Amino acid sequence: DQQVKQNSPSLSVQEGRISILNCDYTNSMFDYFLWYKKYPAEGPTFLISISSIKDKNEDGRFTVFLNKSAKHLSLHIVPSQPGDSAVYFCAASAWGSQGNLIFGKGTKLSVKP
Amino acid sequence: KAGVTQTPRYLIKTRGQQVTLSCSPISGHRSVSWYQQTPGQGLQFLFEYFSETQRNKGNFPGRFSGRQFSNSRSEMNVSTLELGDSALYLCASSFGGYSNQPQHFGDGTRLSIL
C-alpha cells in the first residue's frame, strides 16, 4: 500500500501563474517531508522541506504547506517559470528512519510560456 | 562544493552476472542511502549506511547488498542479476544523525540487464 500518494500524474500551468502540487500520506509516524525536482537523466534535486512541528515553510518562490490533521501537504510555486518544468516528487521519513525516504510516484509539471 | 558522485553512469550486464556500483558522498556527509527507480514502482529505498554500519534496510532480496568505507564512500552489489533489476540506481547522502536533514542525490547509475 502506498504510504505517500501524488494523485495527479501531470499538471500544466501558464508562465507567471501559481503551480500547486499536492501530496497525501497515510503513515502518522512521518515527521519530515521533502519536495524534490527531477529532470530526465539527472538525479532528484532537493527543493524544500518541512518538519511536522511547522505548518508552512518558504524559500523564495517555493512554499510548502503541511496539514497534519488531513495528512496532506502541498508545494506552491509562484510565479511559475518554464524552467520549473520537471517531475516533482514528494517524500517523507519517520524519526529513527531518516535515511529511508518514502517517495510518491511524482507529478510532471509543464509550465507553458 | 562537489555533489554526490556515482560511477559508472551506465552499465549493461546479462542475467546471472553480478554488478558493483559506487557512490562518493558530499564531503562531510556520513549517511549514504541507496534507491532503485523503475517506471512501475517509482523510487524505492534499498538501504542506508551510517558510519560503516547498515542502519536501515528496505524490502529487497538478499541479492542486494552494500557496504560503506571509513571515508563514507559506499558500494552497492547485486548478485545473480535478473531482468527485473534493470533500473536507475540512485545514491543519496546527508550528514546523518537523527536530526531532520535533506538527502542529496547523485545522477544515478542506469543498469540494463540483457
Side-chain angles (χ1 to χ4, degrees):
Chain A
D1 188 30
Q2 269 190 279
Q3 297 185 68
V4 177
K5 297 180 185 178
Q6 294 177 256
N7 291 319
S8 299
S10 62
L11 175 67
S12 184
V13 171
Q14 208 66 32
E15 180 180 6
R17 307 294 288 268
I18 183 171
S19 294
I20 300 176
L21 296 102
N22 293 303
C23 178
D24 296 298
Y25 62 96
T26 58
N27 189 341
S28 57
M29 299 301 291
F30 288 151
D31 67 348
Y32 185 50
F33 304 89
L34 310 90
W35 285 94
Y36 287 86
K37 176 171 74 173
K38 189 177 185 301
Y39 295 117
E42 291 184 13
T45 299
F46 169 70
L47 279 175
I48 191 169
S49 63
I50 188 167
S51 165
S52 61
I53 62 173
K54 294 185 171 183
D55 54 18
K56 178 182 173 182
N57 189 26
E58 278 182 270
D59 185 0
R61 295 186 299 116
F62 301 93
T63 302
V64 56
F65 295 91
L66 175 62
N67 182 334
K68 288 185 290 294
S69 60
K71 292 192 175 66
H72 177 84
L73 66 156
S74 60
L75 174 68
H76 292 207
I77 306 174
V78 185
S80 301
Q81 300 171 354
D84 294 331
S85 297
V87 178
Y88 288 77
F89 291 95
C90 167
S93 68
W95 191 92
S97 299
Q98 285 85 350
N100 176 3
L101 289 179
I102 307 298
F103 282 86
K105 293 288 179 75
T107 296
K108 184 174 183 179
L109 174 65
S110 299
V111 181
K112 303 194 181 305
Chain B
K1 185 175 180 182
V4 178
T5 304
Q6 291 189 246
T7 56
R9 287 297 309 275
Y10 303 93
L11 208 46
I12 299 175
K13 292 286 186 179
T14 56
R15 280 183 300 171
Q17 288 186 309
Q18 74 163 13
V19 68
T20 299
L21 312 182
S22 180
C23 172
S24 293
I26 292 170
S27 178
H29 284 189
R30 296 168 62 197
S31 169
V32 173
S33 296
W34 289 88
Y35 296 84
Q36 181 196 65
Q37 185 180 27
T38 58
Q41 298 300 319
L43 275 151
Q44 292 187 289
F45 172 73
L46 281 154
F47 31 64
E48 181 216 3
Y49 285 86
F50 178 75
S51 293
E52 302 179 64
T53 300
Q54 188 180 88
R55 188 163 65 169
N56 286 292
K57 188 177 188 308
N59 190 25
F60 277 81
R63 299 186 297 108
F64 292 82
S65 63
R67 59 177 174 168
Q68 187 180 35
F69 302 96
S70 58
N71 61 358
S72 294
R73 192 177 70 84
S74 178
E75 287 181 348
M76 180 189 132
N77 185 274
V78 188
S79 62
T80 320
L81 286 165
E82 300 177 358
L83 292 176
D85 297 334
S86 292
L88 178 67
Y89 290 89
L90 291 159
C91 162
S93 75
S94 68
F95 286 105
Y98 287 103
S99 59
N100 289 326
Q101 307 135 22
Q103 293 181 23
H104 298 273
F105 284 80
D107 285 336
T109 294
R110 171 73 61 184
L111 175 63
S112 299
I113 311 301
L114 303 179

